[in-house]
Amino acid sequence: MEKTSVRKPFRQYFKVNYALYLMSVPGLIYVIGYKFLPLIGLQLAFKDYDMFAGNGLLDSMLKSPWVGLSYFESIFGSDQFWRLLRNTVSISVLKIAILFPLPILLAVLMNEMQSMRFKRGVQTLIYLPHFLSWVIIHGIFSTLLSTNGVLNNFLTALGQPTISPYTDSALFRPLLIFTEGWKETGWSAIVYLAALTAIDPQLYEAATVDGANRLQRMWHVTLPGILPVVSLMLLLRVGSILAAGTEQILAMYNPAVYDVADVLQTYIYRVGLGKMDFSTGTAMGLFESIIGFALTVGCNGLSKKFFGRSLW
C-alpha cells in the first residue's frame, strides 16, 4: 500500500524550528527596512518634491504635486545624461573584460599548489586588500603616484616625463581598473576555490591515467567543473553593469576627470544630496534599477538556455 505524506501544520513546524525563524529576524528587518520601505520614495521621480510642503518627510511627499514623466523627459533630453551612461557602461565593460577572468585564473593556479602552508600564506596576502576601505586605498595610491611619489621619482631617474593619473583623463580609467583588481581579485577568488572543492577527485585520477598532463587536467577537468559557477557570477556581474564602482569613484575622482569618470550613481549622489534635487536623483536611480532588472532577467534566461543554470 502506497504511503501518503501528511503535511504538518505550520504551528507545529514552527515550534520544532523556532530557532531558525528567530535567526532569520535580523535579515528580515534589514530587507524590509533597507530594501522595501525605501520603495515608497520612488514616487518622487513623478513628483515636484517640496520638502516644506507638509509636516514631515512622508507628509511632504504626499502633498507634492504630480508632474508625470517630466523629470525623465528632462533627463533623456540632456547631453550630460548620455555622457554619464556612456562612462558607466564603458567602465563596467572594461572591468568585466579585464578583471572578471582574474579570480578564476587565480583560483585555478592556487588549486594546483602542493604546499598547503605556502597556499595559506598566499591566500592571506591576497585577501587582505579587500578589507581596506576605498578611502585608505585612495590615500595609498595618491601618495605613490603623487608628483614626489615613488613612481614619478623612478621615472625622473630614468629621464622620463612624470605622470599624474588622478588628473589625466587618459590614465584615470586604467587607475580605476588596476586599483579594483588589486583590492578585489583575491577576495573574489574565494567562491571559485569553494567550487573547486566540489569537483570529484576521481576525474583527475582518470585524466592522469589517460595521460593528461597538469595543464590538460586544468583545461578539461578544472575549468568545466566550475563553469556553472562562472556563468552564475557573470550573470550577477552583468546585471549590475550600471553600478560601475560608485564608492571607488567617489573616493578617487575629481572635477579634472569628470569627463571620463563621472557615472550615473556619482551624479545621483551629487544632484540628489549635494543639490537637494531629490526628484531628479530618484528618476535616474529608478532608470538604473529598471535597466539592471532587465539585464538580470535577460542574462538569466540566456544562462538557463545555454548552461542549464539560472538564478530561478
Side-chain angles (χ1 to χ4, degrees):
M1 184 176 179
E2 187 178 352
K3 295 183 179 180
T4 58
S5 59
V6 179
R7 185 183 294 273
K8 294 182 179 180
F10 176 75
R11 182 177 298 178
Q12 182 180 354
Y13 183 82
F14 180 81
K15 288 182 179 179
V16 176
N17 300 281
Y18 74 94
L20 297 177
Y21 285 96
L22 187 62
M23 287 190 292
S24 69
V25 170
L28 289 174
I29 293 175
Y30 170 79
V31 171
I32 293 172
Y34 289 92
K35 301 298 181 181
F36 286 100
L37 289 181
L39 294 178
I40 299 173
L42 290 179
Q43 60 183 292
L44 293 181
F46 309 96
K47 286 189 170 187
D48 185 11
Y49 178 65
D50 181 5
M51 67 176 64
F52 304 107
N55 299 320
L57 176 63
L58 185 60
D59 190 36
S60 297
M61 191 184 304
L62 295 174
K63 291 182 178 179
S64 296
W66 292 93
V67 293
L69 299 176
S70 62
Y71 282 104
F72 291 95
E73 294 172 356
S74 175
I75 289 171
F76 296 146
S78 170
D79 292 337
Q80 187 177 28
F81 169 77
W82 298 108
R83 177 179 62 82
L84 295 171
L85 183 61
R86 184 170 59 252
N87 288 342
T88 303
V89 175
S90 298
I91 293 174
S92 291
V93 170
L94 285 172
K95 286 184 176 181
I96 292 175
I98 297 173
L99 299 182
F100 184 80
L102 294 183
I104 303 171
L105 178 62
L106 180 61
V108 171
L109 293 177
M110 291 180 63
N111 187 59
E112 296 297 320
M113 292 182 181
Q114 301 298 323
S115 173
M116 292 302 299
R117 184 175 182 180
F118 179 73
K119 183 177 179 179
R120 293 192 188 99
V122 171
Q123 286 178 310
T124 301
L125 291 175
I126 63 177
Y127 294 165
L128 181 61
H130 170 77
F131 298 98
L132 301 177
S133 71
W134 279 114
V135 176
I136 295 175
I137 292 176
H138 164 62
I140 294 173
F141 279 89
S142 63
T143 301
L144 292 175
L145 302 175
S146 64
T147 305
N148 297 318
V150 175
L151 179 60
N152 280 323
N153 287 336
F154 179 72
L155 292 174
T156 301
L158 294 177
Q160 300 296 322
T162 59
I163 61 174
S164 180
Y166 278 91
T167 57
D168 189 339
S169 297
L171 297 176
F172 189 76
R173 284 184 182 177
L175 176 64
L176 291 178
I177 295 170
F178 178 81
T179 51
E180 179 160 328
W182 180 78
K183 182 178 187 293
E184 299 294 348
T185 296
W187 184 257
S188 299
I190 292 178
V191 66
Y192 302 111
L193 288 170
L196 287 170
T197 61
I199 299 177
D200 189 351
Q202 293 182 355
L203 296 176
Y204 290 103
E205 296 174 3
T208 303
V209 171
D210 290 339
N213 56 33
R214 177 171 293 185
L215 184 61
Q216 290 172 329
R217 292 196 298 269
M218 290 169 57
W219 182 257
H220 294 287
V221 179
T222 304
L223 291 178
I226 64 174
L227 184 59
V229 177
V230 172
S231 63
L232 179 62
M233 298 304 295
L234 182 60
L235 165 64
L236 295 173
R237 184 64 185 87
V238 172
S240 59
I241 197 171
L242 294 185
T246 309
E247 294 182 13
Q248 177 195 20
I249 297 174
L250 280 175
M252 300 180 68
Y253 82 152
N254 57 79
V257 291
Y258 275 178
D259 57 327
V260 297
D262 202 16
V263 296
L264 288 173
Q265 289 191 350
T266 57
Y267 182 79
I268 291 171
Y269 173 81
R270 291 205 320 275
V271 171
L273 296 180
K275 297 183 179 180
M276 308 293 283
D277 189 354
F278 299 110
S279 296
T280 300
T282 304
M284 293 191 70
L286 180 58
F287 165 79
E288 180 185 347
S289 299
I290 292 173
I291 297 300
F293 176 76
L295 287 172
T296 302
V297 173
C299 292
N300 185 73
L302 292 175
S303 177
K304 187 174 183 179
K305 179 178 180 179
F306 292 105
F307 300 106
R309 293 295 183 96
S310 61
L311 292 175
W312 60 84

